[in-house]
Amino acid sequence: MTAATPDPRGPLCIVYNAGELVVGPVDDTADTAPADDARTDGPLEIREDAAFAAINGEVVAVGPTDEITRAYPPDNAATAIDADGNAVVPGFVDPHTHALFAGDRSDEFAAKVRGRSYQEILAEGGGILRTVRAVHDASDDDLLANLRSHLDVMLAHGTTTVEVKSGYGLEAETELRLLETIDRAAAKHPITLVPTFMGAHAVPADTDTEDYVDRVISDQLPAVADQGIAEFCDVFCEADVFDVDQSQRVLKAGAAAGLTPKIHAEEFTRLGGAQLAAELEAASADHLLHATAEDVAALVEAAVVPVLLPGTAFGLGAAYADARAFLEAGASVALATDFNPNCHVRTMEFVQTLAVMKMDLTPAEALLAATRNAALAIDRDDGTGTLREGAPADAAVLAAPSYVHLAYRFDTTAIETVVKNGREVGT
Ligand code: NIG
Ligand code: FE
């Protein structure tokens, strides 16, 4: 075998012979007619017998395999992947996780299936507060190792961008430590990490909620802003946690410190978090199991992305969010895992299965929700979650002929290999 001649345009990546290549959402705004080899499948644009080329980690061309391989010969590419007739899709974006934690709460799962509620467990000092104690006792290196092991699983299942929240510290020093750990993981792991500060995740034991909100605002937030790692500020707006006024205070102070608002809204009760998200023009409102028609309308009007988390409903045995109401109202519905010790799901494939089976999304709607719409939920409107020219070259190559296998298979992964920033990162 002769060594490849490096392409003078920069490190070249080519993925070719895709039986179907999911490009992204149908582009209604394009002033040129769709390419001859393009077809639409619900909200998705798909090319057949297709390829994409990327230079320096950015997609530069998408089209028929023969054209693309002529312009960008695989022999010259640092990364050349023959998809062998299988499907190629944009890498998944997981826009809501609590993936950085320590300890084990599997016994709570066992208690929940025997009838204990999430809120009862939390009120007794379990749940989030128990993870907070485990995080306090864990070393930085242990926390980092935990996070990296979860990210490895996510990457192997096709996820190339992940939002990670702090929120198991509940005081400044540990919240900063968590954000620092996310930053350290980001420096070493192929996945793009998006850090969110969530000091308002729970109220510490024996603490008055108003006093704690004051501390989040006057103690934690300035330190987090100084540290300069977090991009978003999130709050658990819920009965017996933070009410709408308290959530508003935290999110407004976060915005003043440069952090874009996000909110856990209407998860167990309908409290008004969705309306607050609309008022503050949050990037996203998440959970929404109990959102009303007025909430749906307000979020669509304010262009707040609804992030639906069917894994959480599945794990809690709760009713699912009304995804169809959001879609019918014109929302860019996103999906996420919500991976946390209460919801042990790391794969966006299983989340797509749940979205199709339990929330009545089509496989195409679920894939769009797990890619481009999920990118919108974390303010990545740069092509992330698509394979259009100019987008980051993040893709998953399937061991199956159609993207439908992502939702259809719910035993093992349908992903054969993963490309991140134009490099093969394997499975
Ligand atoms: O999104 N609702 C608040 N936070 C998480 C649960 C975190 C935990 O239980 O540790 C959620 O479901
Ligand atoms: Fe959450």
Side-chain angles (χ1 to χ4, degrees), residues 96 98 105 118 128 168 201 236 264 267 287 338 340 342:
H96 181 143
H98 308 255
R105 281 167 45 198
Y118 179 84
I128 296 174
Y168 294 118
H201 191 198
F236 191 11
H264 284 58
E267 180 180 356
H287 285 290
D338 193 23
N340 72 68
N342 179 57

Side-chain angles (χ1 to χ4, degrees), residues 179-270:
L179 291 165
E180 178 68 35
T181 304
I182 297 169
D183 207 43
R184 279 175 70 201
K188 291 249 175 72
H189 204 277
I191 290 184
T192 298
L193 296 183
V194 177
T196 294
F197 166 60
M198 197 173 178
H201 191 198
V203 183
D206 305 319
T207 309
D208 173 72
T209 305
E210 282 292 322
D211 289 346
Y212 184 63
V213 169
D214 289 344
R215 269 192 253 157
V216 170
I217 292 172
S218 50
D219 185 20
Q220 297 180 24
L221 256 172
V224 166
D226 267 0
Q227 184 191 31
I229 293 172
E231 207 176 309
F232 294 93
C233 179
D234 199 342
V235 56
F236 191 11
C237 181
E238 186 56 59
D240 300 325
V241 193
F242 301 100
D243 66 21
V244 173
D245 281 351
Q246 292 160 343
S247 301
Q248 179 175 44
R249 284 173 59 208
V250 170
L251 293 180
K252 278 192 166 167
L259 306 182
T260 305
K262 278 182 167 282
I263 188 165
H264 284 58
E266 336 301 359
E267 180 180 356
F268 295 96
T269 49
R270 199 254 167 195

